[in-house]
Amino acid sequence: MEKKKVAVLGASGYTGSELIRFLLTHPNVEITHLTAEKHAGRMISDVFPHFGGFLDLELKPLRPKSIPKNIDVIFAALPHGTSAAVIEQLYDRDVKIIDLGADFRISSKNYKKWYGQHPCPALIKKAVYGIVELNREKIKKAKLVANPGCYPTSSILGLAPAVKHKLADESSIIIDSKSGVSGAGRSPSLDYHFSEVNEGVKAYKVGDHRHMPEIEEALSNYSGLNVNVSFTPHLIPMDRGILSTIYVNLKKKLTTKKLINIYKEHYKREKFVRISEEMSYPSTNQVRGSNFCDIGIKVNSSGTRAVIVSVIDNLVKGASGQAVQNMNLMLGYDELTGIDATPVFP
Amino acid sequence: MEKKKVAVLGASGYTGSELIRFLLTHPNVEITHLTAEKHAGRMISDVFPHFGGFLDLELKPLRPKSIPKNIDVIFAALPHGTSAAVIEQLYDRDVKIIDLGADFRISSKNYKKWYGQHPCPALIKKAVYGIVELNREKIKKAKLVANPGCYPTSSILGLAPAVKHKLADESSIIIDSKSGVSGAGRSPSLDYHFSEVNEGVKAYKVGDHRHMPEIEEALSNYSGLNVNVSFTPHLIPMDRGILSTIYVNLKKKLTTKKLINIYKEHYKREKFVRISEEMSYPSTNQVRGSNFCDIGIKVNSSGTRAVIVSVIDNLVKGASGQAVQNMNLMLGYDELTGIDATPVFP
Amino acid sequence: MEKKKVAVLGASGYTGSELIRFLLTHPNVEITHLTAEKHAGRMISDVFPHFGGFLDLELKPLRPKSIPKNIDVIFAALPHGTSAAVIEQLYDRDVKIIDLGADFRISSKNYKKWYGQHPCPALIKKAVYGIVELNREKIKKAKLVANPGCYPTSSILGLAPAVKHKLADESSIIIDSKSGVSGAGRSPSLDYHFSEVNEGVKAYKVGDHRHMPEIEEALSNYSGLNVNVSFTPHLIPMDRGILSTIYVNLKKKLTTKKLINIYKEHYKREKFVRISEEMSYPSTNQVRGSNFCDIGIKVNSSGTRAVIVSVIDNLVKGASGQAVQNMNLMLGYDELTGIDATPVFP
Amino acid sequence: MEKKKVAVLGASGYTGSELIRFLLTHPNVEITHLTAEKHAGRMISDVFPHFGGFLDLELKPLRPKSIPKNIDVIFAALPHGTSAAVIEQLYDRDVKIIDLGADFRISSKNYKKWYGQHPCPALIKKAVYGIVELNREKIKKAKLVANPGCYPTSSILGLAPAVKHKLADESSIIIDSKSGVSGAGRSPSLDYHFSEVNEGVKAYKVGDHRHMPEIEEALSNYSGLNVNVSFTPHLIPMDRGILSTIYVNLKKKLTTKKLINIYKEHYKREKFVRISEEMSYPSTNQVRGSNFCDIGIKVNSSGTRAVIVSVIDNLVKGASGQAVQNMNLMLGYDELTGIDATPVFP
């Protein structure tokens, strides 16, 4: 079978490089086109020395019209706004598109409020929100998938069973997320300068982060409820990983054991979701480099409030691994192809 | 004026060494007795090379009767249970005692539930809970002070104004705390082995941590309310620092600005509490090595829920710095003596 | 083709778990037996949660006679001394053995000096030193391979071309190595307790490390010279990676460009050695998780002294990856099978 | 006694902030003027929140003529070239000047080669190189002190006794230095972006670093020999600290014990140099936050080569602490004033 040809737009960031890492091991595809604005003209292995010997491609400037017609799949890892503008020009091609940015994740109304005017709001409705465990069948038929954000992926997978089965009071949800620094991207700034971030923890954009409406929309669509969340992101001095600690009031009393069993049942056919046993809570380092979402659960002694701990690798299940998972579905491959390796610990 | 003579029981841990660091710069005291079970017989500068040239004392085994009679102040940084048993033997001396362990922080009822049988429950009532900003006057007259735990210090200072002024729904409180690894002490174990902890975040003892009843008792005593909290501690790959993100439902609607002003007013005479301006949230690295508690505040747009971010250095305001602050009060010194240095950043 | 059956003795350490990681992706083998003294009776995915869902095996106590007869390949990741004693009992079986410990790496004379009495010195001569790039043909025929130490691997690969081509003064060699903490293993001790190691660099066993004779023997055997080295290991606050900075006086004057070309020529058929271009020096993070050794080179302006910078992942090329590479040769598989993934960055 | 008035030019970098930290605790001086180009107009406690409550000063743009005439001491923490141009305009004032940059550290000939044309070469000869342990008497009388670089400080103190007493072959010296990231300053760049630096070690500017001629000049001047060094700096994933591992061939055979005794004797009156006992080597974390240089020593078994391990805090003894030490000498204060605190560990 001929390999599908893949382009990665925005290949010089961490999301782009992680996409390349997975695509290189994928038996059904080959990377044939890479773009990067700042580094255009350089070889990918010059920008990322770890790829030395693996991929001999030059980074091209981002010009939609210069993307070869024979490309079968386009991954866009671009700044918001840019992404939509580029995808609008490519949409009519015979191509599958997976956008790793924010442009097609939320309704145009929310987009306007949180990001500003959308370049092509009509296209938003054609996109499928690519959280596989909730939207698998739609993704299989999609031409354009909006790959979820990293915080939303950990939050939505942690909450989906609780809201779907109407166990959680949907107005009580508090999500306290902790992210490694790679989630902030690869553009230098004082905020992510080593000595500013190392040996410290901080909260940022408290109640103001753009991933909040994304979480609310996805969970509301999935459950039929009107889900509201309080969301606080924190920056942690480590490269990779997101841990979301989620607090929900329960509509009826439950034990830890019961809630764990509900989660296990809910996710029993999912290969990338692992539920921890009672009294055990996952660390981000047990999913590092992999596409897993591991979830630990505790209900308080009165049975009225649950604490759900959900961990992912922000660059994998929170970005590039999930993007490949989406591609696999869109192209009819086994969902695990290319992303089935074990986590890397330590 | 003659210097007061000080003993540190349990000098080979991080709390002990941090006590020594502050006491060495304190103009009114001198360290004359150190104990450490495991390292007895070694010099303190052998166990902690950073003290080379500062303190030429041998570590003694922990024998209450061998503690010289001329000691004026005893700091106990010992395992729970041990601490109470030792202090019971020393209590009748003419000495001030500051216990950095858990043995005198909570009621005997709660102690029994969370720690087990107390060796000398009668003594608990004689102890004053040493969180200065809440109990200053009692501490001044105390003979025995129970120095607060690290998580409770950050939580209590973050919540005190909100519960005292009856702003927070006392049944809605969620405390999500993140701690550096030094909080777990200096005894080797797989849990704190470098490669297990580094590059990962995890929650532990979810809803089961012994600091939960300590927080509840202190805030209930202070406010007259029956305060209940959900408490989740997390381990962060850094040496020092605790950040507590605290979520409370508000009894009446407030704006961020108003709540900040209430906090500023509440703490206006406190040298060691700093309230951040609106839209600004503290990082643990801005209090590192110092006795400060910095607090940032955000109320959601509907005015119904507040997020309070409180940071301390777990070894300083969360342990040894606060212990010296207590000593200063108990001995009638200026409260800031010996602990007034700036934080160390980066 | 039926898969070969593999046993890992000492599966609960980092070397063991990294072996499992690679063997799980290897198409020609299956893991059927794991041992671990301390954790015997537990499931491997209980000891290493990152393996959840990948391997459903119980850890057995280490009993040579209990290792099933149908095992084709044995990896021993055991303490020195123990390893030799166990292998002696297994040697007569129809099995390939790869020892990741120190017991068969050096001559019995040096072993006695640096480690003590060897349990079965006669077996040492039957073992092949498993640094593939130097000993490939011998390894193909070996029954017992002594997998090199992590420091020696980075040092030997960095020095091999210079000593083989008689460019380096063999009495002038200085090796200054920096290692991540996983190289010290997974047994808790104060030396590797998080807060002792983090935010610090230190040298240890200066001139006294057991890897020094291993480096000297391997390079002497390879070059026919009598190679002597000064070796200083350092501990770096990171999980993985070794960087060795090697200083040699040159027997005749060279330029950086010439020396780089000699190295490129020497290693031109090696898939796992990459030589950096002039003015570029590798970071350990560009080989993380992979079997690569990347080498950067600089000759001083007078052409008399070379600085060679060699990086590996200590757990992969420095241990488990190289062990799989050895297995591939011993079993006649393509040398890259199972260890051909890209590095994981960041 | 009236306090001396101090200005810090370039106060928004790590060197500037560390100067402020020490000057705030210094009983004889007060900070009255701060400059910072990028952050001019902001309050210092806005740029560095850890200073909140300590210093209520606005950062001014760098205008030599706007520096108040009543300033007694000027610290310049500015880019090279800028520093000399500014100091030239201030030199004729009745003021003591301590330059923390490179402009007055080396001869004009070397400056031209390594940095480019010097703005005021005549002034170089008037400056005293401010490594106190070598140049104390000259510093006492100096008007302008060139504060040493961080790498040179650790290297020179590690080598001074060996070259002064003609023990080391001055052509054999190899310095392998490892630095925390704060040494690279506070300007954001990809090289020091968290995820690029974390979990990796790399060498840079191998044999090409500007601190090499500084080390050579200082040691040559001190010993009367023509000292040449090979110098390789490395970047370590930690905030603070430099460890230099120094290799020298010995002119006559020595034991470790003898060499340690020579170092102890040489430094016996120095408060900020501590020599480790045999078999003990310092970690950078035992000097963190302090003005100490700790030195460990090992001679090989044949007595022909010494390894000297020298650690400092790059921001303190390697920059701001030493600058205050210089100020103390220039103003006739006790040399330890304001910089006598213990290290901060962990």
Side-chain angles (χ1 to χ4, degrees):
Chain A
M1 191 182 69
E2 206 183 351
K3 290 187 175 189
K4 297 284 186 184
K5 288 181 169 43
V6 173
V8 176
L9 314 185
S12 65
Y14 295 134
T15 303
S17 85
E18 198 69 353
L19 269 172
I20 293 170
R21 179 165 81 90
F22 288 113
L23 294 170
L24 281 171
T25 71
H26 197 294
N28 307 126
V29 305
E30 62 177 329
I31 303 169
T32 59
H33 191 76
L34 299 175
T35 79
E37 277 306 276
K38 280 184 218 156
H39 300 284
R42 296 176 66 189
M43 302 301 289
I44 183 69
S45 61
D46 182 30
V47 172
F48 288 117
H50 67 294
F51 286 139
F54 283 91
L55 189 60
D56 206 31
L57 273 183
E58 191 188 300
L59 294 164
K60 305 289 184 187
L62 176 62
R63 303 280 175 273
K65 287 179 184 163
S66 307
I67 298 172
K69 302 294 185 209
N70 66 355
I71 293 286
D72 300 295
V73 185
I74 293 171
F75 291 95
L78 300 169
H80 69 84
T82 306
S83 195
V86 166
I87 288 171
E88 193 182 18
Q89 296 181 56
L90 296 166
Y91 190 80
D92 290 334
R93 292 194 186 184
D94 179 19
V95 71
K96 302 285 188 183
I97 303 171
I98 298 157
D99 181 30
L100 287 93
D103 285 355
F104 299 101
R105 293 178 189 159
I106 54 177
S107 67
S108 55
K109 190 181 154 196
N110 257 332
Y111 191 91
K112 193 167 183 180
K113 179 177 169 193
W114 289 87
Y115 293 86
Q117 189 60 47
H118 195 284
C120 48
L123 218 50
I124 296 178
K125 287 190 183 154
K126 301 197 174 163
V128 173
Y129 188 67
I131 190 142
V132 175
E133 288 75 11
L134 278 65
N135 286 346
R136 183 174 282 111
E137 295 311 313
K138 285 185 191 163
I139 294 165
K140 286 181 182 172
K141 297 174 217 146
K143 177 184 179 66
L144 169 59
V145 161
N147 208 59
C150 49
Y151 286 124
T153 297
S154 72
S155 304
I156 294 165
L157 292 175
L159 279 163
V163 298
K164 186 71 173 182
H165 302 291
K166 316 286 193 247
L167 307 171
D169 172 354
E170 68 269 24
S171 71
S172 73
I173 300 171
I174 288 169
I175 303 169
D176 189 285
S177 291
K178 299 90 178 163
S179 174
V181 185
S182 65
R186 208 185 180 208
S187 296
S189 86
L190 185 58
D191 283 350
Y192 311 113
H193 193 59
F194 184 85
S195 303
E196 300 291 311
V197 178
N198 192 38
E199 292 294 301
V201 185
K202 65 175 177 184
Y204 64 101
K205 291 187 185 167
V206 178
D208 284 332
H209 196 283
R210 289 159 166 175
H211 282 173
M212 196 160 68
E214 184 181 335
I215 298 166
E216 292 176 342
E217 278 199 19
L219 288 171
S220 296
N221 290 341
Y222 182 62
S223 67
L225 303 169
N226 181 21
V227 174
N228 276 100
V229 305
S230 283
F231 174 63
T232 312
H234 300 77
L235 203 62
I236 303 295
M238 60 182 191
D239 283 334
R240 289 168 178 248
I242 285 181
L243 182 145
S244 292
T245 313
I246 304 168
Y247 301 86
V248 299
N249 292 341
L250 296 172
K251 287 180 171 172
K252 58 169 193 174
K253 291 194 179 185
L254 282 172
T255 63
T256 299
K257 189 187 266 317
K258 271 191 195 160
L259 190 53
I260 285 179
N261 284 338
I262 291 167
Y263 269 65
K264 284 190 173 176
E265 176 67 20
H266 185 95
Y267 284 129
K268 69 182 170 192
R269 273 183 288 269
E270 298 300 337
K271 297 288 187 185
F272 291 121
V273 179
R274 302 186 292 197
I275 309 298
S276 301
E277 297 305 315
E278 205 170 341
M279 302 299 285
S280 176
Y281 310 101
S283 165
T284 57
N285 66 21
Q286 75 187 48
V287 297
R288 190 190 303 139
S290 82
N291 202 48
F292 286 96
C293 176
D294 286 2
I295 296 172
I297 293 166
K298 170 82 178 187
V299 176
N300 64 1
S301 55
S302 57
T304 55
R305 186 179 284 160
V307 183
I308 301 151
V309 178
S310 165
V311 300
I312 59 168
D313 183 321
N314 57 302
L315 294 179
V316 187
K317 186 61 177 170
S320 305
Q322 184 152 253
V324 172
Q325 193 180 1
N326 276 310
M327 179 193 76
N328 285 338
L329 289 174
M330 295 164 86
L331 296 181
Y333 302 143
D334 181 327
E335 194 176 318
L336 280 71
T337 315
I339 46 174
D340 58 349
T342 70
V344 180
F345 171 82
Chain B
M1 192 181 69
E2 208 183 350
K3 290 187 176 190
K4 297 284 186 184
K5 290 182 168 42
V6 174
V8 177
L9 314 185
S12 66
Y14 296 134
T15 303
S17 86
E18 198 70 352
L19 269 171
I20 294 170
R21 179 166 80 90
F22 288 114
L23 294 170
L24 281 171
T25 71
H26 197 294
N28 306 125
V29 305
E30 61 178 329
I31 303 169
T32 60
H33 191 76
L34 300 175
T35 79
E37 278 307 276
K38 280 183 219 157
H39 300 283
R42 297 175 66 190
M43 302 301 288
I44 184 69
S45 62
D46 182 30
V47 172
F48 288 117
H50 68 292
F51 286 139
F54 284 91
L55 188 61
D56 207 30
L57 273 183
E58 191 188 299
L59 294 164
K60 304 289 183 189
L62 176 62
R63 304 280 174 275
K65 287 180 185 164
S66 307
I67 297 171
K69 303 292 186 212
N70 66 355
I71 293 285
D72 301 294
V73 185
I74 294 171
F75 291 95
L78 300 169
H80 68 86
T82 306
S83 195
V86 166
I87 287 169
E88 193 182 18
Q89 295 182 56
L90 297 166
Y91 189 80
D92 290 334
R93 291 194 186 183
D94 179 18
V95 71
K96 302 285 187 182
I97 303 171
I98 298 157
D99 181 30
L100 288 92
D103 284 356
F104 299 101
R105 293 177 188 159
I106 53 177
S107 66
S108 56
K109 190 181 154 198
N110 258 331
Y111 191 91
K112 194 167 182 180
K113 178 177 170 193
W114 289 88
Y115 293 87
Q117 189 60 47
H118 196 284
C120 48
L123 218 50
I124 296 179
K125 287 191 183 151
K126 301 198 175 162
V128 173
Y129 188 69
I131 189 142
V132 176
E133 289 74 10
L134 278 63
N135 286 345
R136 184 173 283 111
E137 295 312 314
K138 286 185 190 163
I139 293 164
K140 286 181 183 172
K141 296 173 219 146
K143 177 184 179 66
L144 169 59
V145 161
N147 209 58
C150 50
Y151 286 125
T153 298
S154 72
S155 303
I156 294 164
L157 292 175
L159 279 162
V163 298
K164 186 70 172 181
H165 302 294
K166 316 285 194 247
L167 306 171
D169 172 355
E170 67 270 23
S171 71
S172 72
I173 299 172
I174 288 168
I175 302 170
D176 189 285
S177 291
K178 298 93 179 161
S179 174
V181 185
S182 65
R186 208 186 180 208
S187 296
S189 88
L190 186 58
D191 283 350
Y192 312 113
H193 193 59
F194 185 85
S195 303
E196 300 292 310
V197 179
N198 191 39
E199 292 295 300
V201 185
K202 65 174 176 184
Y204 64 102
K205 293 189 184 165
V206 179
D208 283 332
H209 196 284
R210 289 159 166 174
H211 282 173
M212 196 160 68
E214 185 182 335
I215 298 167
E216 291 176 342
E217 279 198 19
L219 288 172
S220 295
N221 290 341
Y222 183 61
S223 66
L225 303 169
N226 182 20
V227 173
N228 277 99
V229 306
S230 284
F231 173 62
T232 311
H234 300 77
L235 203 61
I236 303 295
M238 60 183 192
D239 283 335
R240 289 168 177 249
I242 285 181
L243 181 146
S244 292
T245 313
I246 304 167
Y247 301 86
V248 299
N249 292 341
L250 296 172
K251 288 180 171 170
K252 59 170 192 174
K253 292 193 179 186
L254 281 172
T255 62
T256 300
K257 188 187 267 316
K258 269 191 196 161
L259 190 54
I260 286 178
N261 284 337
I262 291 167
Y263 270 64
K264 283 189 175 179
E265 177 65 21
H266 185 95
Y267 284 129
K268 70 182 169 192
R269 272 183 289 270
E270 298 300 337
K271 297 288 187 185
F272 291 121
V273 179
R274 303 185 292 197
I275 310 299
S276 301
E277 297 304 316
E278 205 171 341
M279 303 298 286
S280 175
Y281 310 100
S283 165
T284 58
N285 66 20
Q286 74 186 48
V287 296
R288 190 190 302 138
S290 81
N291 203 47
F292 286 95
C293 175
D294 286 1
I295 297 172
I297 293 166
K298 169 82 179 187
V299 177
N300 65 359
S301 54
S302 57
T304 55
R305 185 179 285 160
V307 184
I308 301 152
V309 178
S310 165
V311 300
I312 59 168
D313 183 321
N314 58 302
L315 294 179
V316 187
K317 186 62 176 170
S320 306
Q322 184 152 252
V324 173
Q325 193 180 1
N326 276 310
M327 179 194 76
N328 286 337
L329 289 174
M330 295 163 86
L331 296 181
Y333 303 143
D334 181 327
E335 194 176 319
L336 281 70
T337 314
I339 46 173
D340 58 349
T342 69
V344 179
F345 171 85
Chain C
M1 190 181 70
E2 207 184 350
K3 290 187 176 189
K4 296 284 185 185
K5 289 180 169 44
V6 173
V8 176
L9 314 184
S12 66
Y14 296 133
T15 303
S17 85
E18 198 70 352
L19 269 172
I20 294 170
R21 179 166 80 90
F22 287 114
L23 294 170
L24 281 171
T25 70
H26 197 293
N28 308 125
V29 305
E30 61 177 330
I31 303 168
T32 59
H33 191 76
L34 299 175
T35 79
E37 278 307 276
K38 279 183 221 157
H39 301 282
R42 297 176 65 190
M43 302 301 288
I44 183 70
S45 60
D46 182 29
V47 172
F48 287 117
H50 67 293
F51 286 139
F54 283 91
L55 188 61
D56 207 29
L57 274 183
E58 191 187 301
L59 294 164
K60 305 289 183 187
L62 176 62
R63 303 281 175 273
K65 289 181 183 162
S66 307
I67 297 172
K69 302 292 186 211
N70 66 354
I71 292 285
D72 301 294
V73 185
I74 294 171
F75 291 95
L78 300 169
H80 68 86
T82 306
S83 196
V86 166
I87 288 170
E88 192 182 18
Q89 296 181 58
L90 297 166
Y91 190 79
D92 290 334
R93 292 193 185 184
D94 180 19
V95 71
K96 302 284 186 183
I97 303 170
I98 297 157
D99 181 30
L100 288 92
D103 284 356
F104 299 101
R105 291 178 189 158
I106 54 176
S107 66
S108 56
K109 191 182 154 197
N110 257 332
Y111 192 90
K112 194 166 183 181
K113 180 177 169 193
W114 290 88
Y115 293 88
Q117 189 61 48
H118 195 284
C120 48
L123 218 51
I124 297 179
K125 287 192 182 150
K126 301 197 175 164
V128 173
Y129 188 69
I131 189 142
V132 175
E133 288 75 9
L134 278 66
N135 285 345
R136 185 174 281 111
E137 295 312 314
K138 285 184 192 165
I139 294 164
K140 286 181 183 173
K141 296 173 219 146
K143 178 184 179 66
L144 169 59
V145 160
N147 208 58
C150 49
Y151 287 125
T153 298
S154 72
S155 303
I156 294 165
L157 291 176
L159 279 163
V163 297
K164 185 71 171 180
H165 302 293
K166 316 287 195 246
L167 307 172
D169 173 355
E170 67 269 24
S171 70
S172 72
I173 300 171
I174 288 168
I175 302 169
D176 189 285
S177 290
K178 299 92 180 162
S179 176
V181 186
S182 65
R186 208 185 181 209
S187 296
S189 87
L190 186 58
D191 283 350
Y192 312 113
H193 193 60
F194 184 85
S195 303
E196 300 292 310
V197 178
N198 192 38
E199 292 295 301
V201 185
K202 66 174 174 184
Y204 65 101
K205 292 189 186 165
V206 179
D208 284 331
H209 196 283
R210 289 159 167 176
H211 282 173
M212 196 161 67
E214 184 181 336
I215 298 167
E216 291 176 341
E217 279 197 19
L219 288 172
S220 296
N221 290 341
Y222 183 60
S223 66
L225 303 170
N226 182 20
V227 174
N228 276 101
V229 306
S230 283
F231 174 63
T232 311
H234 299 77
L235 203 62
I236 303 295
M238 60 182 191
D239 283 335
R240 289 168 178 248
I242 285 181
L243 181 145
S244 293
T245 313
I246 304 168
Y247 301 86
V248 298
N249 292 341
L250 297 173
K251 288 180 172 171
K252 60 169 192 175
K253 292 192 178 186
L254 281 173
T255 62
T256 300
K257 189 187 267 314
K258 271 190 195 159
L259 191 54
I260 286 178
N261 284 338
I262 291 167
Y263 269 65
K264 284 190 173 177
E265 177 66 21
H266 185 94
Y267 284 129
K268 70 183 170 192
R269 273 183 289 270
E270 297 300 337
K271 297 288 188 187
F272 291 122
V273 179
R274 300 186 293 196
I275 310 299
S276 301
E277 297 303 316
E278 206 171 341
M279 303 298 287
S280 177
Y281 310 100
S283 166
T284 58
N285 67 19
Q286 74 187 48
V287 296
R288 191 191 301 138
S290 81
N291 203 47
F292 286 96
C293 177
D294 286 1
I295 297 173
I297 293 166
K298 170 83 179 186
V299 177
N300 65 359
S301 55
S302 56
T304 56
R305 186 179 284 159
V307 184
I308 301 152
V309 178
S310 166
V311 301
I312 59 168
D313 183 321
N314 57 302
L315 294 179
V316 188
K317 186 62 178 169
S320 304
Q322 184 152 252
V324 173
Q325 193 180 1
N326 276 310
M327 179 194 76
N328 285 339
L329 289 175
M330 295 163 86
L331 296 181
Y333 302 144
D334 181 327
E335 194 177 319
L336 281 70
T337 314
I339 47 173
D340 58 348
T342 71
V344 180
F345 171 84
Chain D
M1 190 181 69
E2 205 184 351
K3 290 188 176 189
K4 297 284 186 184
K5 289 182 169 42
V6 174
V8 176
L9 314 185
S12 65
Y14 296 133
T15 303
S17 85
E18 198 70 352
L19 269 172
I20 293 170
R21 178 165 81 90
F22 288 114
L23 294 170
L24 281 171
T25 71
H26 197 293
N28 307 127
V29 304
E30 62 177 329
I31 303 168
T32 59
H33 191 77
L34 299 175
T35 80
E37 277 308 276
K38 280 183 217 156
H39 301 283
R42 298 175 65 190
M43 302 301 288
I44 184 69
S45 62
D46 182 30
V47 172
F48 288 117
H50 67 294
F51 286 139
F54 283 91
L55 188 60
D56 207 30
L57 273 184
E58 190 188 301
L59 294 164
K60 304 290 183 187
L62 176 63
R63 303 281 174 274
K65 287 181 184 163
S66 307
I67 298 171
K69 302 294 185 208
N70 66 354
I71 293 286
D72 299 295
V73 185
I74 293 171
F75 291 94
L78 300 169
H80 68 85
T82 305
S83 195
V86 166
I87 288 170
E88 192 182 18
Q89 296 182 57
L90 297 166
Y91 189 79
D92 290 335
R93 291 193 184 184
D94 180 18
V95 71
K96 303 284 187 184
I97 303 170
I98 297 157
D99 181 31
L100 288 93
D103 284 356
F104 300 101
R105 292 178 189 158
I106 54 176
S107 67
S108 57
K109 191 181 153 197
N110 257 331
Y111 192 91
K112 193 166 182 181
K113 179 177 168 193
W114 290 87
Y115 293 87
Q117 189 60 47
H118 195 284
C120 49
L123 218 50
I124 296 178
K125 287 191 184 153
K126 300 195 176 166
V128 173
Y129 188 68
I131 189 141
V132 175
E133 288 75 10
L134 278 65
N135 286 344
R136 184 174 281 111
E137 295 311 313
K138 285 185 190 162
I139 294 164
K140 286 182 182 171
K141 298 173 217 146
K143 177 185 180 65
L144 169 59
V145 160
N147 208 58
C150 49
Y151 286 124
T153 297
S154 72
S155 304
I156 294 164
L157 291 176
L159 279 163
V163 298
K164 186 71 172 181
H165 302 293
K166 316 288 193 245
L167 307 171
D169 172 355
E170 68 269 23
S171 70
S172 72
I173 300 170
I174 288 169
I175 303 169
D176 189 286
S177 290
K178 298 90 178 164
S179 175
V181 185
S182 64
R186 209 185 179 209
S187 296
S189 86
L190 185 58
D191 283 349
Y192 311 114
H193 193 60
F194 184 84
S195 303
E196 300 291 311
V197 178
N198 191 39
E199 293 294 300
V201 185
K202 65 174 176 184
Y204 64 102
K205 293 188 183 165
V206 178
D208 284 331
H209 196 284
R210 289 160 166 173
H211 282 172
M212 196 161 68
E214 184 181 335
I215 298 166
E216 291 176 341
E217 278 198 20
L219 287 172
S220 297
N221 290 341
Y222 183 60
S223 66
L225 302 170
N226 181 21
V227 174
N228 276 100
V229 305
S230 283
F231 174 62
T232 311
H234 300 76
L235 202 63
I236 303 294
M238 60 182 191
D239 283 336
R240 289 168 178 248
I242 284 181
L243 181 145
S244 293
T245 312
I246 304 168
Y247 301 86
V248 299
N249 293 341
L250 296 173
K251 288 180 172 172
K252 58 169 193 174
K253 292 193 179 186
L254 281 172
T255 62
T256 300
K257 188 187 267 313
K258 271 190 195 161
L259 191 54
I260 286 178
N261 285 337
I262 291 167
Y263 270 65
K264 284 190 173 176
E265 177 67 21
H266 185 95
Y267 284 129
K268 69 183 169 191
R269 273 183 289 270
E270 297 300 336
K271 297 288 188 187
F272 291 121
V273 179
R274 301 185 292 196
I275 310 299
S276 301
E277 296 305 315
E278 205 171 341
M279 301 300 286
S280 176
Y281 310 100
S283 166
T284 58
N285 65 21
Q286 74 187 48
V287 297
R288 192 191 301 139
S290 83
N291 203 48
F292 286 96
C293 176
D294 286 1
I295 296 173
I297 292 167
K298 170 82 179 188
V299 177
N300 64 0
S301 54
S302 56
T304 55
R305 186 180 283 161
V307 184
I308 301 151
V309 178
S310 166
V311 301
I312 59 168
D313 183 322
N314 58 303
L315 295 179
V316 187
K317 186 63 177 169
S320 305
Q322 184 152 252
V324 173
Q325 193 180 0
N326 276 309
M327 180 193 76
N328 285 338
L329 288 175
M330 295 164 86
L331 296 181
Y333 302 143
D334 181 326
E335 194 176 319
L336 281 70
T337 315
I339 45 174
D340 58 349
T342 71
V344 180
F345 171 84

